[in-house]
């Protein structure tokens, strides 16, 4: 067995229920800690989750008044550009849920401030009490946040260069606009300090990388495999991403 199963919860749900299931994981956390610090990723994967949060908030059913948000990555130099992950997160989640800037621990993106700003970000993260629940997407190459293959399990927040596969996959989000090939990411060591991690996975294209991340021996070649060291790991997959759910250990 690849895990101490008490630390892993695996949820596999039909695609149509996936967004609501993700929202329930957040709601359960907010019930315990209304001012929790929540890590939120960008990308295609979390979109049904964020749509559900907007819906719940619109109906006055989400306790969104106090929780704080931690960014998990951003593009280097993105502050000056119109399209970037902070703006995306702001448009999709922060503004719709009424989460003001004072409740967001934003990833530094100014190249002139590196690497000092990364150390300062880590210090602030400690000052804010650390992350309570970090949602993460799973890259097609096994990256988490922008920790590409080869990232060390004890790595900290830093500037990284996106590898070719990631740059190609993400270019679609920029619709032809110039995309920086450098990013700032929480380190794997930083991520592992979260009190809980929820790995979000959708679609058949991620099924093999999810299987390998959870069941193959841990390796820096597959950064997501280190998530098995998390204090508590929740995996939320749709049935396409985990078609053979029985192979995974359940809590
Ligand atoms: P995706 O990306 O959600 O857009 O598939 C996940 C990731 O690259 O981390």
């Amino acid at each position: 067995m690849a895990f101490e199963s008490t630390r892993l919860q695996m949820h596999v749900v039909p695609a149509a229920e996936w967004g609501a299931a993700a929202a329930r994981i957040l709601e359960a956390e907010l019930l315990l800690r209304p001012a929790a610090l929540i890590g939120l990723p960008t990308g295609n994967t979390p979109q049904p989750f964020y749509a559900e949060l907007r819906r719940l908030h619109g109906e006055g059913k989400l306790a969104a008044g106090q929780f704080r948000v931690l960014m998990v990555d951003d593009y280097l130099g993105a502050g000056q550009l119109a399209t970037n992950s902070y703006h995306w997160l702001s448009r999709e989640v922060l503004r719709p849920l009424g989460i003001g800037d004072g409740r967001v621990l934003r990833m530094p993106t100014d190249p002139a401030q590196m690497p000092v700003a990364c150390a300062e970000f880590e210090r602030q993260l400690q000052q804010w009490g650390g992350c309570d629940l970090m949602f993460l997407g799973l890259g097609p190459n096994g990256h988490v946040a922008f920790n590409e293959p080869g990232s060390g399990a004890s790595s900290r927040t830093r500037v990284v260069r996106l590898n070719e596969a990631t740059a190609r996959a993400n270019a679609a989000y920029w619709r032809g606009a110039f995309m920086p090939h450098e990013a700032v990411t929480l380190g794997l060591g930083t991520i592992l300090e979260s009190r809980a991690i929820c790995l979000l996975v959708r679609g058949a294209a991620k099924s093999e990388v999810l299987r390998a991340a959870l069941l193959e021996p841990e390796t820096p070649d597959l950064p997501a495999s280190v998530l098995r060291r998390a204090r508590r790991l929740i995996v939320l997959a749709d049935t396409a991403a985990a078609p053979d759910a029985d192979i995974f250990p359940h809590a």
Side-chain angles (χ1 to χ4, degrees), residues 26 40 57 74 93 128 139 144 187:
L26 174 60
L40 292 180
H57 184 65
D74 205 336
V93 184
W128 282 36
V144 284

Side-chain angles (χ1 to χ4, degrees), residues 60-249:
K61 292 179 183 159
L62 184 72
Q66 292 182 49
F67 82 86
R68 299 164 301 149
V69 170
L70 165 73
M71 288 191 63
V72 304
D73 56 21
D74 205 336
Y75 293 93
L76 188 66
Q80 291 86 44
L81 298 171
T83 311
N84 66 64
S85 67
Y86 172 74
H87 286 287
W88 187 90
L89 197 67
S90 183
R91 193 186 68 219
E92 297 289 313
V93 184
L94 306 176
R95 269 186 271 142
L97 302 191
I99 300 171
D101 280 352
R103 283 161 57 196
V104 182
L105 191 49
R106 219 179 134 164
M107 191 60 75
T109 56
D110 181 355
Q113 306 293 321
M114 300 298 162
V116 174
C118 290
E120 173 59 18
F121 178 91
E122 290 260 351
R123 204 185 55 77
Q124 273 184 297
L125 176 54
Q126 295 295 328
Q127 225 172 36
W128 282 36
C131 184
D132 293 299
L133 172 61
M134 186 176 295
F135 290 92
L136 291 169
L138 175 63
N141 63 359
H143 75 211
V144 284
F146 275 137
N147 290 284
E148 297 284 27
S151 298
S154 56
S155 53
R156 310 303 304 184
T157 302
R158 68 201 186 286
V159 174
V160 292
R161 185 151 190 88
L162 304 186
N163 76 16
E164 271 316 302
T166 301
R168 230 178 298 119
N170 288 9
Y173 299 134
W174 290 73
R175 300 201 178 98
F178 171 74
M179 185 188 87
H181 282 221
E182 283 181 303
V184 190
T185 182
L186 295 181
L188 292 173
T190 322
I191 288 171
L192 288 173
E193 285 168 7
S194 301
R195 289 178 193 90
I197 293 172
C198 180
L199 185 64
L200 301 172
V201 199
R202 289 196 298 127
K206 300 278 177 75
S207 66
E208 176 49 28
V209 70
L210 176 62
R211 188 202 63 75
L214 296 182
L215 297 176
E216 297 291 329
E218 181 188 316
T219 164
D221 295 340
L222 197 62
S225 65
V226 310
L227 297 181
R228 285 140 54 175
R229 299 189 195 182
R231 291 197 238 173
R232 184 173 159 231
L233 176 63
I234 306 163
V235 177
L236 176 63
D238 68 5
T239 43
D244 200 3
D246 291 347
I247 63 174
F248 297 110

